């Protein structure tokens, strides 16, 4: 693609062609940020920079995968696979595996995900006989994470009067012991948690100047995506790596800095000019995503923030429709309002063009209930990750044991699953012996006679068989490819028999998930192009860093998306509903503590607005069900901050919502229909021709079509199953509900 620079606008091109020196690209929402980052890397490659001299850091695996694919198209033959590209955690874990011996970790260390970390914290609290109501697992884990990201070790904590006083007031006087044991047991298990991947990378660069100099020379060009989301330790690592060459390009938008609760520091992007005084600033201000009204509405909101880099986002897109603000009587009414509006707009759109955004996960209940009643398929974005499902964690724990038998969390998960007669009492004796002797549980069971564990001979035999099983996996782990070994582990461990024998719907689903994992490992093995052979340790390197976004299934595509606003960042949808626009909810009640907290809430609303391409709907309820009772609510102050010339408002009283919601507000007749919302721009699309269906032309029927039945009236096809004369359709009929029809007898008419 020789003319790739011609595909960029003037400001994008200027940012891309600067090769040497420091630069910051402030990219407004929908302005082509990813395109600039992608083309800049391609431009570096085309200008002679070696791929292994480029470090590109992203915040999601999906982003790096998309960028790598685009780079391959633009810069064919330049081996993008050799780029140091990926998330902070994946790139830094790669560095750590090469340098692990410097901090006395094994090269094949295990990465503990959040669930593993919580499990370890839970075990420590239990072992120390602490009150689990005072030492709540989530609170303790978050506190450990916060301390690590502020470079406070257990020793540093014990010498920090303010921290000690805080925990004394909270009755957590033993927190120091919990933290100390957590660190020790991770080290003993040859495991690092997510925070350790950052902390230990910094530690190696700080304590070993020769290692730092080595990577400074490797990473001659550094590019960082979403720079406004970096935390303090990420900032320090980037600064160290860039110190020699100062060829650093950061891309981001201060107006979309919304992760302070995770430690993100907006000062990193605001103070870039101080760190690199000779930097070049490029502003991407043209929005390619949204209508003019949406862009102008977002601008009118964010101008109320004091701390920001000045920019003027604009678009050449059409003006578009007004932003609709709806007031409902209750949160349940709000849910019905949203569901009915989606159904009305579906005459021209697919389900996957709609997103419902909310401030907190708890708000999804009323929305889900309304969508189910209306027969609208939906998915909760950010629900349980594929890799967090129990059956997947169980199998992957066996895989972890094959690579690192010292892994305490994997051992506890596998030692009696499937059940092999090693009970919780016996396991607790093993854990106690390991802690008393400052060794791993694996070392205890490998030499059980040496440590005089008081368990019966039957249990000793079972433990011996378990050790033999794991050792057999371990001996094969460096010889066999990943797929062959995991297939053997699945069968030899007893997991295959366990899953295949469970014929319940849940059991079938679990078995399907195991098959899906094996398919993924098969694909990895067959398409592996790394330097090593495709053994299990290569596959497992980044598994703990994957998220649900990396494994979205095809059947999830045509569904309405429900998610928190935080989870929506980086995504876009033609139609967006932002619900719960109420004081105390959005902005959050917690944001009243400071001006900076309130400004972050406003940036969060800015992110929500700018996810929309065509239409934006904002809603709030007069009464919301909270803490077991109905609470009166006031409209969010943010709604008043919007320039009212871009907004149309509609109020629904309790009487209107209960008696007239399905008739007068959304429908032209007294029967419930799939009509559109009657605000400006919502025009009913009439179908002049209906298509009668009989048993000879069933192929014309598809999911999503509006159809008419002689008895049940108008409805929408949700899905079609079966073949030939046995083909069936599940149809949601207005005012009646869901029906399954044998199509050869149904005699449906297609209305649209």
């Amino acid at each position: 693609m020789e003319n790739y620079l011609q595909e960029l606008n003037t400001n994008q091109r200027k940012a891309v062609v600067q090769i040497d020196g420091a630069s910051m690209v402030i990219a407004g929402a929908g302005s082509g940020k990813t395109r600039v980052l992608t083309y800049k890397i391609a431009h570096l490659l085309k200008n002679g920079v070696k791929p292994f001299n480029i470090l590109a850091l992203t915040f999601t695996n999906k982003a790096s995968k998309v960028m790598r694919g685009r780079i391959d198209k633009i810069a064919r033959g330049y081996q993008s696979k050799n780029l140091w590209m990926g998330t902070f955690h994946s790139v830094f874990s790669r560095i750590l595996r090469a340098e692990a011996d410097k901090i006395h970790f094994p090269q094949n260390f295990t990465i503990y995900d959040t669930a593993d970390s919580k499990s370890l914290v839970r075990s420590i609290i239990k072992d120390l006989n602490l009150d689990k109501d005072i030492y709540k697992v989530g609170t303790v884990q978050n506190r450990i994470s916060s301390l690590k990201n502020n470079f406070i070790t257990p020793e540093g904590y014990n010498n920090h009067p303010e921290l000690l006083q805080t925990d004394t007031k909270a009755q957590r006087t033993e927190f120091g012991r919990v933290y100390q044991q957590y660190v020790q047991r991770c080290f003993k298990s040859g495991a690092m948690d997510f925070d350790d991947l950052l902390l230990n990378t910094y530690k190696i660069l700080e304590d070993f100047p020769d290692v730092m100099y080595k990577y400074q020379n490797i990473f001659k060009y550094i590019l960082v995506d979403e720079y406004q989301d970096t935390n303090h330790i990420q900032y320090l690592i980037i600064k160290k790596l860039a110190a020699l060459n100062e060829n650093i390009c950061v891309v981001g938008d201060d107006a979309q800095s919304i992760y302070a609760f995770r430690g993100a520091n907006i000062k990193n992007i605001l103070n870039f000019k101080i760190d690199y005084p000779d930097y070049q600033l490029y502003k991407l201000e043209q929005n390619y995503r949204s209508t003019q009204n949406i862009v102008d509405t977002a601008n009118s909101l964010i101008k109320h923030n004091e701390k920001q880099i000045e920019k003027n986002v604009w678009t050449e897109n059409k003006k578009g429709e007004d932003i609709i603000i709806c007031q409902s009587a209750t949160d349940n009414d709000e849910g019905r309002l949203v569901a009915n509006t989606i159904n009305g707009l579906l005459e021209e759109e697919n389900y996957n063009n709609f997103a419902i955004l909310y401030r907190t996960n708890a708000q999804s209940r009323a929305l889900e209930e309304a969508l189910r009643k209306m027969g609208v398929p939906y998915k909760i974005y950010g629900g349980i990750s594929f890799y967090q499902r129990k059956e997947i964690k169980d199998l992957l724990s066996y895989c972890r044991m094959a690579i690192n038998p010292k892994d305490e969390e994997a051992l506890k998960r596998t030692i009696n699953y499937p059940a092999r007669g090693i009970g919780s009492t016996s396991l607790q004796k093993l854990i106690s012996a390991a802690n008393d002797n400052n060794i791993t549980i694996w070392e205890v069971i490998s030499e059980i006679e040496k440590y005089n564990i008081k368990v019966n001979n039957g249990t000793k035999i079972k433990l011996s068989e378990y050790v033999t099983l794991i050792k057999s996996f371990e001996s094969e782990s460096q010889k066999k490819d990943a797929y062959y070994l995991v297939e053997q582990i699945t069968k030899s461990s007893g997991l295959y028999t366990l899953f295949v024998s469970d014929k319940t719907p849940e059991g079938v689903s679990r078995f399907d998930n195991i098959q899906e994992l094996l398919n993924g490992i098969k694909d990895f093995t067959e398409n592996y192009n790394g330097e090593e052979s495709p053994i299990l340790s290569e596959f497992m390197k980044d598994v703990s860093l994957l998220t649900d976004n990396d494994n979205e299934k095809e059947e999830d595509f045509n569904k309405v998306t429900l998610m928190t606003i935080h989870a929506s960042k980086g995504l876009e949808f033609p139609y967006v509903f932002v619900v719960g626009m109420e004081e105390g909810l959005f902005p959050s009640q917690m944001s009243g503590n400071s001006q900076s907290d309130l400004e972050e809430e406003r940036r969060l609303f800015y992110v929500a607005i700018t996810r929309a391409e065509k239409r934006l709907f904002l809603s709030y309820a007069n009464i919301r069900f909270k803490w077991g009772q109905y609470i009166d609510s006031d409209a969010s102050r943010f709604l008043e901050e919007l320039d009212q010339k871009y907004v149309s408002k509609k109020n629904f009283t309790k009487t209107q919502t209960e008696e007239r919601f399905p008739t007068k507000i959304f429908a032209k007749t007294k029967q419930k229909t799939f009509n559109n919302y009657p605000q400006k721009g919502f025009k009913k699309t009439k179908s002049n021709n209906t298509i009668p269906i009989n048993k000879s032309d069933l192929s014309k029927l598809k999911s999503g079509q509006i159809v008419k039945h002689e008895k049940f009236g108008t409805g929408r096809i949700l899905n079609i199953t079966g073949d030939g004369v046995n083909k069936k359709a599940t149809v949601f009929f207005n005012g009646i509900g869901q029906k399954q029809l044998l199509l050869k007898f149904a005699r449906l008419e297609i209305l649209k």
Side-chain angles (χ1 to χ4, degrees):
M1 191 183 291
E2 295 301 324
N3 60 344
Y4 63 99
L5 292 177
Q6 296 175 17
E7 299 178 4
L8 305 170
N9 67 34
T10 302
N11 286 347
Q12 289 174 337
R13 193 179 306 116
K14 286 179 181 178
V16 165
V17 298
Q18 180 186 335
I19 292 180
D20 296 321
S23 63
M24 179 165 66
V25 181
I26 296 298
S31 63
K33 169 181 66 67
T34 304
R35 168 175 285 231
V36 166
L37 208 53
T38 302
Y39 279 56
K40 190 172 182 72
I41 294 170
H43 188 69
L44 288 171
L45 293 172
K46 280 180 168 285
N47 281 272
V49 179
K50 299 291 188 292
F52 46 78
N53 290 141
I54 299 174
L55 170 64
L57 296 168
T58 66
F59 271 84
T60 66
N61 296 294
K62 192 174 183 179
S64 59
K65 185 177 180 181
V66 168
M67 285 170 58
R68 198 182 293 272
R70 291 180 185 175
I71 291 166
D72 282 335
K73 290 181 180 179
I74 302 168
R76 288 196 182 103
Y78 284 89
Q79 296 182 310
S80 73
K81 67 181 181 181
N82 291 328
L83 293 166
W84 284 74
M85 176 184 280
T87 64
F88 285 85
H89 291 97
S90 64
V91 170
F92 294 165
S93 66
R94 182 177 168 188
I95 293 173
L96 285 170
R97 291 194 188 282
E99 312 296 340
D101 61 304
K102 306 284 192 306
I103 52 175
H104 310 294
F105 268 86
Q107 187 181 33
N108 61 347
F109 62 83
T110 299
I111 298 174
Y112 277 180
D113 61 21
T114 304
D116 296 320
S117 296
K118 284 185 175 180
S119 178
L120 178 55
V121 169
R122 191 176 290 109
S123 296
I124 294 168
I125 291 169
K126 181 180 178 182
D127 294 345
L128 295 177
N129 293 314
L130 300 176
D131 188 334
K132 62 182 180 181
D133 291 326
I134 295 174
Y135 294 86
K136 293 181 178 178
V137 173
T139 303
V140 172
Q141 186 203 30
N142 288 336
R143 189 148 174 76
I144 290 173
S145 175
S146 177
L147 290 170
K148 285 186 176 183
N149 280 294
N150 285 285
F151 303 104
I152 299 174
T153 62
E155 294 74 23
Y157 168 84
N158 288 323
N159 291 307
H160 199 298
E162 290 181 14
L163 293 174
L164 292 170
Q165 186 178 13
T166 298
D167 281 322
T168 299
K169 286 182 179 179
Q171 297 181 294
R172 290 193 299 262
T173 53
E174 295 295 310
F175 175 81
R177 286 180 68 198
V178 175
Y179 187 16
Q180 182 74 48
Q181 287 213 16
Y182 180 87
V183 171
Q184 288 176 347
R185 284 167 72 164
C186 279
F187 181 75
K188 197 167 60 173
S189 297
M192 297 187 199
D193 63 21
F194 288 162
D195 297 311
D196 291 330
L197 297 179
L198 303 179
L199 190 65
N200 289 333
T201 299
Y202 179 81
K203 186 176 180 181
I204 286 175
L205 296 177
E206 177 75 7
D207 295 348
F208 300 92
D210 56 326
V211 175
M212 181 175 71
Y213 186 68
K214 167 185 168 183
Y215 286 101
Q216 285 176 337
N217 276 284
I218 292 175
F219 303 141
K220 297 185 186 300
Y221 294 87
I222 298 174
L223 301 96
V224 186
D225 192 15
E226 305 286 12
Y227 192 62
Q228 77 282 347
D229 293 335
T230 52
N231 62 26
H232 185 59
I233 195 166
Q234 289 166 331
Y235 159 78
L236 290 175
I237 294 171
I238 294 164
K239 192 175 180 183
K240 277 187 176 295
L241 292 174
L244 182 64
N245 299 296
E246 291 199 347
N247 294 324
I248 178 171
C249 174
V250 301
V251 182
D253 181 7
D254 57 296
Q256 297 185 66
S257 178
I258 59 173
Y259 292 118
F261 68 97
R262 292 185 191 166
N265 190 344
I266 194 172
K267 291 180 181 178
N268 294 346
I269 195 166
L270 295 177
N271 295 340
F272 186 81
K273 60 186 177 184
I274 298 173
D275 293 328
Y276 306 95
D278 297 326
Y279 85 113
Q280 293 293 316
L281 174 64
Y282 303 100
K283 294 182 182 180
L284 307 183
E285 297 172 305
Q286 182 175 0
N287 180 297
Y288 292 93
R289 175 188 301 159
S290 308
T291 65
Q292 289 180 24
N293 273 348
I294 292 171
V295 170
D296 291 339
T297 299
N299 287 343
S300 72
L301 171 79
I302 203 64
K303 72 179 183 181
H304 290 86
N305 271 13
E306 294 177 7
K307 293 181 180 178
Q308 59 178 300
I309 297 171
E310 187 179 341
K311 57 185 170 297
N312 178 38
V313 181
W314 58 278
T315 184
E316 290 181 345
N317 293 341
K318 65 182 182 180
K319 184 177 180 181
E321 308 296 342
D322 284 356
I323 282 68
I324 306 296
I325 298 180
C326 300
Q327 176 191 9
S328 297
T330 70
D331 49 352
N332 288 329
D333 294 333
E334 181 183 53
R336 288 194 290 272
L337 181 72
V338 171
N340 210 23
T341 305
I342 290 173
N343 257 339
L345 289 164
L346 270 169
E347 293 192 356
E348 299 174 358
E349 303 291 342
N350 295 320
Y351 289 114
N352 60 356
N353 286 336
F354 296 88
I356 306 172
L357 311 182
Y358 35 77
R359 181 63 181 83
T360 66
N361 280 305
Q363 292 169 252
S364 72
R365 180 205 58 80
L367 296 160
E368 289 186 71
E369 187 175 307
L371 293 170
R372 281 197 299 267
K373 286 180 178 177
M374 291 292 291
V376 176
Y378 66 88
K379 61 179 176 181
I380 301 287
Y381 188 100
I384 186 167
S385 164
F386 176 80
Y387 288 97
Q388 292 300 323
R389 297 179 191 278
K390 182 182 183 303
E391 61 274 15
I392 301 300
K393 289 278 287 183
D394 290 333
L395 178 51
L396 289 178
S397 292
Y398 272 102
C399 296
R400 283 160 51 173
M401 288 298 291
I403 298 167
N404 174 22
K406 292 182 179 181
D407 184 341
E408 179 178 320
E409 291 306 307
L411 185 146
K412 288 191 295 185
R413 196 169 189 113
T414 57
I415 194 168
N416 196 43
Y417 190 81
R420 51 174 59 91
I422 304 171
S424 57
T425 302
S426 298
L427 177 58
Q428 196 56 47
K429 290 177 181 178
L430 298 172
I431 293 171
S432 297
N435 293 338
D436 291 344
N437 291 278
N438 195 28
I439 57 176
T440 64
I441 304 172
W442 175 254
E443 289 172 292
V444 172
I445 61 174
S446 295
E447 299 182 90
I448 195 160
E449 297 296 344
K450 177 179 176 181
Y451 296 100
N452 192 29
I453 309 298
K454 294 181 179 179
V455 294
N456 60 46
N457 287 332
T459 301
K460 287 182 180 179
I461 292 170
K462 297 294 184 185
L463 288 169
S464 176
E465 290 172 348
Y466 173 74
V467 169
T468 301
L469 179 70
I470 298 302
K471 284 185 175 179
S472 71
F473 298 154
E474 186 182 20
S475 67
E476 297 285 288
S477 65
Q478 296 296 316
K479 305 172 188 175
K480 305 295 185 182
D481 69 56
Y483 178 75
Y484 175 88
L485 180 57
V486 177
E487 193 176 41
Q488 288 301 112
I489 289 173
T490 307
K491 293 176 180 176
S492 301
S493 65
L495 288 174
Y496 179 85
T497 302
L498 182 71
F499 291 132
V500 81
S501 62
D502 187 349
K503 301 302 182 184
T504 66
E506 295 78 12
V508 172
S509 176
R510 283 191 284 269
F511 184 73
D512 288 344
N513 286 334
I514 291 294
Q515 290 297 319
E516 184 63 30
L517 177 62
L518 287 168
N519 290 342
I521 299 172
K522 181 75 169 176
D523 182 65
F524 162 82
T525 304
E526 292 179 348
N527 297 292
Y528 183 75
N529 54 17
E531 296 178 5
E532 308 293 332
S533 57
I535 55 177
L536 183 59
S537 59
E538 291 298 303
F539 173 78
M540 291 294 291
K541 276 182 180 178
D542 294 325
V543 162
S544 295
L545 305 172
L546 294 175
T547 67
D548 209 32
N549 308 347
D550 305 304
N551 299 280
E552 191 171 22
K553 291 182 168 54
E554 190 173 340
E555 59 263 29
D556 285 337
F557 287 164
N558 195 25
K559 295 181 179 179
V560 174
T561 301
L562 277 68
M563 65 174 79
T564 64
I565 303 169
H566 281 102
S568 74
K569 188 166 172 292
L571 303 176
E572 55 190 50
F573 302 88
Y575 298 85
V576 170
F577 297 81
V578 185
V579 299
M581 294 299 306
E582 297 139 33
E583 282 294 308
L585 184 56
F586 197 18
S588 164
Q589 191 172 354
M590 302 297 291
S591 67
N593 297 332
S594 69
Q595 180 66 23
S596 61
D597 288 344
L598 183 61
E599 292 204 355
E600 171 136 343
E601 287 287 295
R602 191 176 287 114
R603 291 194 296 269
L604 186 60
F605 187 29
Y606 177 85
V607 167
I609 292 172
T610 54
R611 297 314 92 200
E613 297 172 354
K614 294 181 181 179
R615 298 301 308 270
L616 175 65
F617 306 88
L618 310 173
S619 70
Y620 64 97
N622 290 335
I623 299 172
R624 187 167 294 275
F625 195 71
K626 296 178 185 176
W627 308 298
Q629 58 184 324
Y630 282 102
I631 306 294
D632 289 339
S633 302
D634 295 321
S636 169
R637 73 188 74 180
F638 292 156
L639 296 179
E640 293 303 315
E641 292 178 356
L642 304 179
D643 192 324
Q644 300 303 298
K645 67 184 177 186
Y646 307 120
V647 168
S648 290
K649 296 182 179 179
K650 185 72 178 179
N651 295 338
F652 298 111
T653 66
K654 189 173 181 64
T655 303
Q656 284 176 319
T657 306
E658 288 183 348
E659 296 181 4
R660 299 171 61 190
F661 180 88
T663 56
K664 297 294 180 67
I665 294 175
F666 282 90
K668 293 182 179 179
T669 69
K670 290 187 177 181
Q671 182 185 0
K672 292 183 182 179
T673 69
F674 290 98
N675 291 342
N676 289 349
Y677 184 59
Q679 287 289 336
K680 183 179 178 182
F682 282 71
K683 295 178 180 178
K684 172 74 174 167
T685 303
K686 294 182 179 179
S687 178
N688 296 323
N689 300 311
T690 61
I691 307 170
I693 298 296
N694 56 48
K695 62 183 179 183
S696 63
D697 54 8
L698 301 180
S699 61
K700 292 181 181 178
L701 288 170
K702 298 177 182 177
S703 296
Q705 287 176 327
I706 304 296
V707 294
K708 186 176 181 180
H709 185 271
E710 291 177 355
K711 179 180 178 181
F712 303 130
T714 305
R716 179 180 296 279
I717 298 177
L718 300 182
N719 60 62
I720 296 177
T721 57
D723 297 304
V725 294
N726 295 317
K727 187 176 284 190
K728 297 178 182 178
T730 302
V731 185
F732 181 85
F733 290 101
N734 300 310
I736 293 175
Q738 195 168 298
K739 297 286 184 182
Q740 190 173 66
L741 306 173
L742 191 61
L743 290 179
K744 67 178 180 179
F745 298 125
R747 299 188 61 80
L748 297 174
E749 286 182 321
I750 299 176
L751 300 181
K752 186 168 179 63

